[in-house]
Amino acid sequence: MNYQETVEFLYSKLPMFSRQGTAAYKKDLHNTIALLESLDHPERKFKSVHIAGTNGKGSSSHLLAAIFQSAGYKTGLYTSPHLYDFRERIKINGDMVSEDFVIEFVQTCLPTIENIEPSFFEVTVAMAFAWFAKQQVDIAIIEVGLGGRLDSTNVITPEISVITQIGKDHINMLGNTLSAIAFEKAGIIKQGVPVVIGEIHPETKPVFEEQAQLKQASLLFAEDYLPIIDIKQHSISLDVTFKHSFLQPTTYTCDLPGWYQARNMRTVLTTTHILRELGWNLHEEAVRTGLSNSKSINGLMGRWEVLQSKPIVIADVGHNEDGIKVILEQLSKSTYKHLHIVFGMAKDKEIENVLQLLPKHATYYFTQASIPRALDAHVLREMAINHKLEGTTILSVNQALTTAMQQASKDDLILVCGSIFIVAEIDRTILQQSNLTATAPEK
């Protein structure tokens, strides 16, 4: 098989959660362990940081990886899902895994794959770990896929465990209360390994405290350690001032402009503090360089990403209640004449809860991604009407975006959101051909 045939094999032959949903979710680690055993346990051959959370784990993973890279470390980064290229999931120093290795890995593992029938995610995790081991990375930042306790990535013993924010998502698999979801996330806490918790919530704090105590893991809440005292947002960056208990207020700049990134910065800076105590040379210049250049260093897309100006077109992968709430907070701080929203969702999300949050003054373009999990756009529009949301149904994401651009004035704002798979289908050449200022995708 060539590269394209290999990727198509992974997509078509293996259960894939992003396309199929719950049916592809494996609730144990047996397959992952079997794959790794067949590869002589690559997960034991590199150091790592493990990052879980309902929201913020992707941004935090990219920011922390950028800091390590800026400090001179050979840094692996595993995240999911991807937007445009499968290889976005597996990077070293910002460069995607080679096509040749993807082919070689699948060919090598084919007998094991045929024997145990693993999921797409299980194979991808094993591939990432094998690549990081082969390339002898100094550190790998590993983002949890779903939950934590039973996630395929939960076979590593990291330098530190990080849990960003907890919200209600995937409740059919993780539980319908914040404490139940927190328990699943807390499953990444390892014996004697320090853990950072990004946010304090009365329902989740006791869960983390109990699990950390059981595992004899030191516990630090970033919200306590590094309070935020000021945020200044610019068009392509964010300045956040923090107050440490025994230091003068310090301001850091991040090239991810979303207001909500301040919380991820706080989590990452707190994590950096502990990693320094563990002996990692993450000097101040590297921290500042990594935070302010994370997009160019690692190519993160879809986090309040400005794709075009006049009218402003923004893409954000927020797709659950908490994700939509932070988008709305960001909108409240934005200036525009009229709001247009290109919107689609996966059918296994808390759709009614999200719809009741959305602004009623906007014009909507209801659409759907080209995956089986996508909620039918016609059904979405009918549900939205019950929440007094008005708009049209356009099945193609790019046709919906084109229509919004045609109808919007230069002082309007167009937002594409609701599902990471909606953002992933944006054809960025549409924006480049509009003769308006566009931000090209990073490498």
Side-chain angles (χ1 to χ4, degrees):
M1 293 187 289
N2 60 26
Y3 172 71
Q4 194 56 47
E5 290 169 340
T6 301
V7 172
E8 284 303 317
F9 167 80
L10 294 174
Y11 289 159
S12 62
K13 300 297 183 183
L14 306 181
M16 187 175 180
F17 180 83
S18 61
R19 293 169 181 257
Q20 298 170 237
T22 310
Y25 180 54
K26 302 293 182 71
K27 294 185 177 181
D28 60 64
L29 300 175
H30 294 152
N31 284 346
T32 303
I33 293 169
L35 279 166
L36 295 172
E37 283 179 346
S38 72
L39 298 165
D40 192 28
H41 288 289
E43 79 282 7
R44 300 174 184 173
K45 299 175 182 177
F46 58 87
K47 295 183 183 297
S48 61
V49 175
H50 206 188
I51 302 183
T54 305
N55 295 301
K57 62 183 184 291
S59 294
S60 297
S61 296
H62 279 80
L63 290 172
L64 189 58
I67 290 171
F68 269 105
Q69 288 165 237
S70 299
Y73 290 106
K74 188 174 185 178
T75 307
L77 176 62
Y78 176 75
T79 58
S80 63
H82 62 273
L83 286 183
Y84 294 100
D85 189 323
F86 165 79
R87 297 180 302 137
E88 292 170 26
R89 295 167 178 257
I90 306 169
K91 295 180 180 180
I92 296 177
N93 285 358
D95 295 326
M96 295 185 291
V97 60
S98 72
E99 292 184 356
D100 286 344
F101 181 78
V102 174
I103 297 169
E104 173 193 327
F105 177 86
V106 172
Q107 292 293 347
T108 299
C109 291
L110 204 53
T112 306
I113 290 172
E114 292 176 344
N115 182 42
I116 66 175
E117 299 182 345
S119 69
F120 171 90
F121 189 77
E122 289 167 335
V123 171
T124 305
V125 167
M127 183 188 299
F129 292 174
W131 181 241
F132 297 154
K134 181 176 182 178
Q135 295 298 312
Q136 298 181 314
V137 298
D138 298 315
I139 188 83
I141 314 303
I142 309 296
E143 179 196 6
V144 168
L146 192 157
R149 183 174 63 93
L150 299 176
D151 187 75
S152 295
T153 63
N154 200 28
V155 292
I156 55 175
T157 301
E159 298 286 283
I160 186 171
S161 303
V162 182
I163 301 173
T164 56
Q165 300 119 35
I166 302 299
K168 290 186 177 180
D169 197 10
H170 303 296
I171 62 173
N172 56 328
M173 289 172 282
L174 304 181
N176 60 8
T177 65
L178 292 180
S179 59
I181 294 171
F183 176 78
E184 293 298 325
K185 308 290 184 185
I188 72 166
I189 299 175
K190 301 297 192 302
Q191 189 72 30
V193 175
V195 56
V196 168
I197 307 298
E199 291 188 354
I200 297 173
H201 191 283
E203 287 186 51
T204 63
K205 186 178 182 181
V207 177
F208 295 133
E209 291 174 332
E210 179 183 3
Q211 292 304 310
Q213 185 176 18
L214 287 171
K215 299 291 178 63
Q216 297 178 302
S218 63
L219 177 66
L220 187 57
F221 289 94
E223 196 171 336
D224 284 338
Y225 176 76
L226 210 59
I228 297 169
I229 59 176
D230 188 48
I231 303 174
K232 288 186 173 63
Q233 186 185 30
H234 310 285
S235 59
I236 59 172
S237 64
L238 194 70
D239 295 336
V240 185
T241 303
F242 300 91
K243 179 66 173 77
H244 194 288
S245 57
F246 54 83
L247 296 176
Q248 292 296 316
T250 306
T251 301
Y252 292 88
T253 298
C254 179
D255 65 346
L256 304 178
W259 192 269
Y260 55 86
Q261 294 294 351
R263 292 179 290 182
N264 296 325
M265 290 171 67
R266 178 178 61 196
T267 302
V268 167
L269 287 168
T270 303
T271 303
T272 300
H273 162 74
I274 296 180
L275 286 164
R276 283 173 176 156
E277 292 185 339
L278 294 174
W280 293 91
N281 184 25
L282 303 176
H283 51 82
E284 185 68 8
E285 183 182 351
V287 172
R288 292 186 177 277
T289 299
L291 291 176
S292 60
N293 296 279
S294 67
K295 288 175 67 176
S296 60
I297 290 173
N298 279 319
L300 180 63
M301 295 180 284
R303 274 69 173 183
W304 199 257
E305 184 183 8
V306 180
L307 302 177
Q308 175 185 290
S309 62
K310 297 182 180 179
I312 297 173
V313 177
I314 292 172
D316 197 291
V317 296
H319 57 275
N320 51 39
E321 285 185 71
D322 285 353
I324 295 299
K325 284 177 182 177
V326 296
I327 288 175
L328 296 178
E329 180 185 14
Q330 184 68 53
L331 283 172
S332 71
K333 303 176 189 304
S334 304
T335 301
Y336 54 86
K337 184 177 179 181
H338 184 68
L339 178 62
H340 303 257
I341 300 181
V342 177
F343 189 75
M345 292 191 72
K347 56 190 173 186
D348 55 355
K349 298 296 180 182
E350 295 293 291
I351 299 161
E352 296 285 1
N353 293 353
V354 169
L355 290 174
Q356 69 181 1
L357 295 172
L358 295 175
K360 294 176 174 51
H361 62 267
T363 298
Y364 287 86
Y365 307 81
F366 300 106
T367 189
Q368 63 189 75
S370 302
I371 59 171
R373 272 181 72 202
L375 178 65
D376 183 277
H378 296 288
V379 174
L380 178 60
R381 180 173 179 269
E382 289 303 313
M383 297 175 72
I385 288 172
N386 294 331
H387 293 274
K388 298 182 169 53
L389 306 178
E390 298 182 0
T392 56
T393 300
I394 304 174
L395 298 184
S396 161
V397 171
N398 289 300
Q399 186 56 53
L401 177 55
T402 300
T403 303
M405 291 167 60
Q406 291 170 344
Q407 295 187 3
S409 73
K410 64 182 180 62
D411 297 320
D412 289 352
L413 188 152
I414 301 171
L415 172 65
V416 184
C417 69
S419 168
I420 191 170
F421 307 107
I422 296 293
V423 174
E425 290 193 13
I426 295 174
D427 178 358
R428 296 181 179 223
T429 62
I430 294 174
L431 300 131
Q432 294 163 2
Q433 292 170 355
S434 65
N435 297 319
L436 297 172
T437 304
T439 301
E442 305 290 345
K443 69 175 183 178

